Amino acid sequence: MAEPLKTTVKRPPSRERAAAPAQPARLSVVHPPERAVTRALGDEPLVIGRDPAEAGLVVDDDTVSRKHVRIEWMNGPGLHFVSDLGSRNGSALDGAALAGDKKPLVDGAVLRIGDVLLVYEQAQALGPGDAAGVDREAVPGEAAVMAALRARLARAAVDPAPVLLCGESGTGKERIAGELHRLSGRKGRLVAVNCAALSRELVESQLFGHQKGAFTGATEAHPGYFRAAQGGTLFLDEIGELSLEVQPKLLRAIQQGEVQAVGSTQPIHVDVRVVAATNRDLAKAVAGGQFREDLYARLALWELRVPPLRERRIDLFPWIERLHHRWRSQRPAEAQAPLRFEPDAAELLLRAPWPLNLRGIERLIHDLSAGGGRVITPGSIPAWVQGAPPAAAPAAPVEPAKLPVPTREAFVAAYHQLNGSVRGLAKHFGRDRRQIYRWLSSYGLDEKAE
């Protein structure tokens, strides 16, 4: 009996297989502002320079060489890399000079070519695209993460389910809550409540109302915030500070659509959409027994993360311009021109950690503007902008404008590139070994043998 015919499929050697496509990314010139341009990056190499005949991205600035740097995708590590092409005025990545080696680009990396500053973004966060209906004054920003936020905000706004806004203090969560309310089309008011400011003894009364005589001092009936927001939206800011005792009653109000005033035996129906916000990690709070899991699950039917300023660096200077304009409008007697930044000062600001986010920009503008408008030099930047180094022990004093603290992303990228070498990291960042050890400990990284 003849054997069945066997078919074989010849697979090409792994080195001959098609390379995986480059991850979506883009590069934006952010300073000087008059040079602003954004370019998508993919598999094809990109030369950046001044000469249109030599460069794929032309930056018309006297400090930029004809062919200044080259960006290329490397399939093995799955990263874009940058290398200097023998430029006249040099290049730097996250404050470290580019020598002959190719260096990897991580999300948010700051690239300097001559006196021009660019920011690299991994643009996969863009998803299906921006949302045209969202007010760009309420939720501004050209960063990829902001476009993604607006797209998700637009979808959440028309759904009556609760929304949880998560993000650091000063990221603009209340503005986003206002836009959620506007886009929802609800006819009632937007009522904003800071849960951290609610009285522990009177929180139920403040949220759900009370009847006259319900407790000592209750000389009049009070409707409470829920009924004040009837037909509209109740914004509960700092929801993570709400006491465990009142959390189940808040859950009932959201689930059942009814509240019971203190001193009453009858529930009252309410039509209120709840938007909550927190700068705490509620999942950790649930695990630690400080927040109810069922309430968290209910609030997070839509969970929108509001990114910190350090994750949207391309929006830094537009925010400075916007908030400086507001500062000037409130002080008409102190007419000033827009702030202008020397390249070193601009780079220092781009690489700052900004723990206070937009509030930090407001503080910076006040510090810079109080003395009158001028061109801002590195020496003009207050020391607090850099933030404290991530170390328990005091570090040796350094010149802030020359040695800003690297971002976590920049440090981790250098760590992998240099194979964890403390000596190499110290040379790369221009710091002593004690500082490198502190950063390794802070970021949970191990020192590797040299």
Side-chain angles (χ1 to χ4, degrees):
M1 183 176 180
E3 293 184 2
L5 181 64
K6 296 181 180 179
T7 59
T8 59
V9 178
K10 186 176 181 181
R11 297 183 181 275
S14 60
R15 65 178 179 274
E16 297 178 7
R17 294 175 192 164
Q23 294 297 315
R26 61 186 190 178
L27 199 61
S28 300
V29 175
V30 296
H31 190 271
E34 61 271 18
R35 310 289 186 212
V37 64
T38 295
R39 176 68 180 267
L41 300 175
D43 302 272
E44 295 298 320
L46 175 70
V47 172
I48 305 174
R50 193 180 71 253
D51 189 343
E54 302 281 358
L57 174 58
V58 178
V59 180
D60 187 14
D61 188 276
D62 291 341
T63 66
V64 175
S65 297
R66 291 189 306 110
K67 294 193 299 182
H68 204 110
V69 294
R70 174 186 173 96
I71 309 290
E72 58 186 308
W73 172 258
M74 298 185 69
N75 190 55
L79 293 169
H80 282 103
F81 278 70
V82 60
S83 55
D84 189 273
L85 298 176
S87 63
R88 182 179 72 256
N89 291 317
S91 312
L93 181 63
D94 287 324
L98 288 175
D101 296 334
K102 299 175 181 178
K103 294 192 176 180
L105 291 166
V106 297
D107 192 36
V110 177
L111 175 64
R112 179 167 177 171
I113 59 173
D115 286 343
V116 176
L117 297 166
L118 306 93
V119 173
Y120 173 85
E121 293 178 285
Q122 293 171 341
Q124 65 268 26
L126 280 169
D130 211 329
V134 177
D135 184 356
R136 297 293 288 269
E137 287 299 314
V139 190
E142 299 304 319
V145 289
M146 293 307 295
L149 174 61
R150 285 191 293 267
R152 189 161 170 78
L153 185 158
R155 296 195 298 274
V158 295
D159 188 330
V163 179
L164 179 62
L165 302 175
C166 300
E168 295 176 7
S169 178
T171 50
K173 296 188 289 295
E174 187 164 356
R175 297 165 66 99
I176 293 169
E179 189 62 1
L180 282 165
H181 174 68
R182 185 187 72 84
L183 290 174
S184 73
R186 297 180 68 85
K187 303 302 182 184
R189 299 167 50 203
L190 170 66
V191 176
V193 179
N194 186 334
C195 294
L198 295 176
S199 164
R200 190 175 184 87
E201 295 76 18
L202 299 176
V203 60
E204 287 185 48
S205 166
Q206 291 170 310
L207 286 176
F208 311 124
H210 64 255
Q211 290 190 325
K212 180 179 179 179
F215 49 83
T216 302
T219 57
E220 295 181 357
H222 189 275
Y225 290 122
F226 261 90
R227 281 192 280 170
Q230 174 66 21
T233 302
L234 179 62
F235 175 50
L236 298 175
D237 198 8
E238 298 193 53
I239 190 71
E241 308 305 316
L242 202 61
S243 68
L244 280 169
E245 292 78 10
V246 80
Q247 288 180 26
K249 296 177 181 178
L250 174 60
L251 177 62
R252 177 178 175 82
I254 296 172
Q255 288 188 154
Q256 305 299 329
E258 58 184 33
V259 297
Q260 188 167 320
V262 177
S264 173
T265 59
Q266 297 297 320
I268 301 171
H269 174 75
V270 289
D271 174 20
V272 174
R273 202 267 183 95
V274 171
V275 175
T278 183
N279 57 19
R280 296 179 60 188
D281 186 333
L282 287 191
K284 286 185 178 179
V286 168
Q290 290 125 18
F291 202 84
R292 290 180 62 100
E293 185 175 19
D294 49 4
L295 178 57
Y296 172 54
R298 188 69 182 182
L299 289 170
L301 291 178
W302 284 99
E303 185 167 347
L304 306 185
R305 179 179 178 269
V306 185
L309 191 59
R310 61 185 173 276
E311 292 182 15
R312 34 176 163 149
R313 287 186 168 126
I314 72 168
D315 295 329
L316 175 65
F317 293 111
W319 265 114
I320 290 176
E321 182 181 0
R322 183 180 294 111
L323 295 179
H324 184 239
H325 176 77
R326 187 174 75 179
W327 189 93
R328 287 184 292 155
S329 68
Q330 295 169 346
R331 298 162 177 82
E334 302 183 39
Q336 291 187 5
L339 296 173
R340 295 176 54 212
F341 297 92
E342 288 188 354
D344 288 348
E347 184 179 11
L348 181 63
L349 294 179
L350 275 175
R351 299 184 59 228
W354 296 107
L356 298 177
N357 294 291
L358 301 182
R359 294 192 183 104
I361 293 182
E362 290 176 332
R363 181 182 174 189
L364 172 69
I365 289 169
H366 183 81
D367 285 358
L368 295 178
S369 301
R374 60 190 184 281
V375 176
I376 307 303
T377 67
S380 308
I381 305 296
W384 62 261
V385 169
Q386 294 184 87
V398 296
E399 173 58 42
K402 295 179 181 178
L403 297 175
V405 176
T407 64
R408 185 185 191 283
E409 292 86 354
F411 186 83
V412 171
Y415 171 84
H416 290 301
Q417 180 190 356
L418 297 170
N419 198 31
S421 165
V422 174
R423 182 189 298 113
L425 288 165
K427 182 178 179 181
H428 181 82
F429 290 109
R431 298 297 183 96
D432 62 29
R433 292 193 179 196
R434 291 174 301 169
Q435 181 62 68
I436 301 302
Y437 285 125
R438 286 192 283 266
W439 282 336
L440 287 171
S441 175
S442 175
Y443 295 147
L445 300 173
D446 296 324
E447 174 195 359
K448 296 183 180 179
E450 301 190 32

